[in-house]
Amino acid sequence: MDGPEDRMFPPMEPRPSHRKGHPNMGTSAFDELDIAIVDAVRFAPRASWRDLAPVLGVDPATVSRRWSRMQSEGVAWVTAHLSGTATPSCALVEIDCAPGRSTEVAAVLAEDVEAATVKLTSGARDVLILAQSPDLDALSHYLLDRVGHVPGVTNMRSHIVTRSALEASRWREGALNPEQRHRLRADTGTRPDHGAVLQAHDRRIARALSADGRMSFEQLAEHVGLGPVAVRRRLTRLMEARLITFRCDTSRHLSKRAVTAVYFGSLDVHDLESAEGKIGMLPGVRACNLVAGPYNVIVDAWLRSTAEAHDLERKMSRVLPALRIQDRSVALRVIKMLGRILDVEDRSIRSIPLLVDD
């Protein structure tokens, strides 16, 4: 039974489950404290419960117990991915499928380590994937020799990502007040190390953390083949050089935003730099990539309802009059999110470690 400190946050209504699947997935009710814990983890993904508890106004055992429940039920998890100069070559790929084959195609591609995210979508494409490979040659090989030959695929259009203007790792639910955010906001005082080189042990650390971003140093040591102290030192170096980024994701069972919308737009090249910050300030915008293709801006948003899709588009047009939205889609189902296979309620059921080149 929760302690009296848990009652600082009013309960949310439980949402019914429509999936039999995972034995650890029940129909738990989640409240505002759960959402606050998730946002705290987003600010400090590897912080101890002892460090997070005072900021949240509860005891460490409460934070640990609630996070364990959310993680075991697949509604919250932490993933790590390479970033900065170690960022893999990426492409957003629109896929057209033969009638009745889109779910099959999405399921096949979701098993590929190169397909980090896979969505079934409405509109002018049936499947949308985020593909990753160590370099452009490997990415081209994957798109042309693998994706293009999956049974059921009739056509594909790829958009090479040139820069991530807004990363999903910066997404917040807004559950913390300014003082809490200030206490959790980490500032290492470092700048990206453009000369840093990943070694084999670093890549093994990144691969393990892509499956569980909060994995202990002792567990990491077993995966990497080094001692816990050496692993801690290497991970600290990776984080300070900004070669690895952590992010906390949730299912729509927990998040108040159950609709994923994707906008395909274009901006004059001279407006791109000034547009990056403005797009990120819009409510609901979770990620924004600059790409090479018929569009040069692709925006990913989390919305409370489909009715908000055009509302956000109107807000984008007011903030960025030069932005021309040329197409948009709503995700009918997210099959895979940054290496996590999801169920029909977007709950994580298993992990496929992200591709890390050895």
Side-chain angles (χ1 to χ4, degrees):
M1 183 173 182
D2 291 341
E5 69 277 4
D6 297 332
R7 293 193 287 272
M8 295 168 60
F9 296 82
M12 295 169 61
E13 289 298 320
R15 301 181 187 182
S17 172
H18 301 290
R19 183 184 185 277
K20 297 178 181 178
H22 199 297
N24 292 329
M25 292 182 184
T27 55
S28 298
F30 300 99
D31 60 23
E32 296 301 328
L33 176 55
D34 294 311
I35 297 175
I37 290 171
V38 167
D39 255 9
V41 171
R42 285 181 170 129
F43 275 101
R46 288 189 57 82
S48 69
W49 305 136
R50 184 175 59 254
D51 292 333
L52 294 183
V55 178
L56 296 165
V58 297
D59 64 80
T62 296
V63 182
S64 176
R65 181 178 64 251
R66 284 178 173 245
W67 174 264
S68 295
R69 181 187 61 170
M70 290 187 285
Q71 186 178 44
S72 67
E73 294 186 12
V75 301
W77 59 92
V78 175
T79 304
H81 61 87
L82 294 178
S83 57
T85 56
T87 302
S89 294
C90 300
L92 289 162
V93 187
E94 302 176 83
I95 299 172
D96 299 333
C97 303
R101 302 291 297 276
S102 58
T103 300
E104 175 189 342
V105 168
V108 169
L109 290 172
E111 297 299 322
D112 293 349
V113 293
E114 295 89 348
T117 297
V118 180
K119 301 172 184 175
L120 289 166
T121 63
S122 65
R125 73 279 311 153
D126 297 308
V127 178
L128 182 65
I129 72 170
L130 170 63
Q132 299 181 339
S133 287
D135 53 46
L136 185 57
D137 285 343
L139 181 62
S140 299
H141 174 74
Y142 175 68
L143 296 179
L144 297 174
D145 299 332
R146 166 57 174 167
V147 178
H149 292 279
V150 170
V153 171
T154 59
N155 191 26
M156 73 172 190
R157 297 169 297 283
S158 57
H159 311 269
I160 304 299
V161 176
T162 59
R163 186 163 77 252
S164 176
L166 177 66
E167 289 191 355
S169 60
R170 295 171 58 186
W171 170 262
R172 306 287 185 267
E173 295 283 357
L176 304 180
N177 62 42
E179 180 185 356
Q180 290 172 312
R181 295 196 297 270
H182 177 73
R183 292 173 66 182
L184 289 171
R185 189 171 287 115
D187 185 2
T188 61
T190 61
R191 295 183 178 181
D193 185 352
H194 298 295
V197 177
L198 288 178
Q199 299 177 359
H201 286 118
D202 300 324
R203 297 184 183 280
R204 285 195 282 272
I205 289 172
R207 180 180 288 111
L209 290 173
S210 75
D212 179 6
R214 288 189 57 85
M215 185 179 292
S216 70
F217 289 113
E218 289 73 18
Q219 291 173 311
L220 272 175
E222 294 179 6
H223 282 273
V224 177
L226 294 174
V229 174
V231 168
R232 181 190 291 269
R233 184 174 63 251
R234 282 180 175 272
L235 180 55
T236 298
R237 183 188 70 86
L238 292 175
M239 294 170 65
E240 289 181 346
R242 300 183 189 177
L243 297 177
I244 193 168
T245 294
F246 294 86
R247 87 182 210 194
C248 177
D249 287 314
T250 64
S251 73
R252 57 188 172 92
H253 194 74
L254 179 65
S255 176
K256 296 179 180 179
R257 297 177 182 270
V259 177
T260 298
V262 184
Y263 300 87
F264 303 81
S266 294
L267 272 169
D268 187 277
V269 66
H270 301 293
D271 296 321
L272 286 176
E273 185 174 351
S274 62
E276 291 183 25
K278 295 178 181 178
I279 291 175
M281 296 298 291
L282 291 167
V285 172
R286 189 167 183 266
C288 177
N289 287 296
L290 306 184
V291 301
Y295 322 108
N296 58 8
V297 178
I298 299 181
V299 176
D300 200 89
W302 274 14
L303 309 174
R304 291 183 176 87
S305 68
T306 53
E308 288 189 354
H310 285 300
D311 293 339
L312 178 58
E313 190 170 334
R314 282 193 292 270
K315 291 174 183 176
M316 281 193 284
S317 68
R318 287 198 296 268
V319 173
L320 288 167
L323 176 63
R324 301 176 298 281
I325 299 297
Q326 297 169 281
D327 203 355
R328 71 284 297 156
S329 280
V330 170
L332 302 175
R333 182 181 166 193
V334 180
I335 304 295
K336 185 180 184 183
M337 182 188 296
L338 199 64
R340 292 281 182 149
I341 301 295
L342 308 183
D343 71 3
V344 295
E345 291 190 347
D346 296 344
R347 295 182 296 193
S348 173
I349 54 177
R350 60 186 173 93
S351 173
I352 297 177
L354 296 174
L355 178 70
V356 179
D357 182 33
D358 290 323

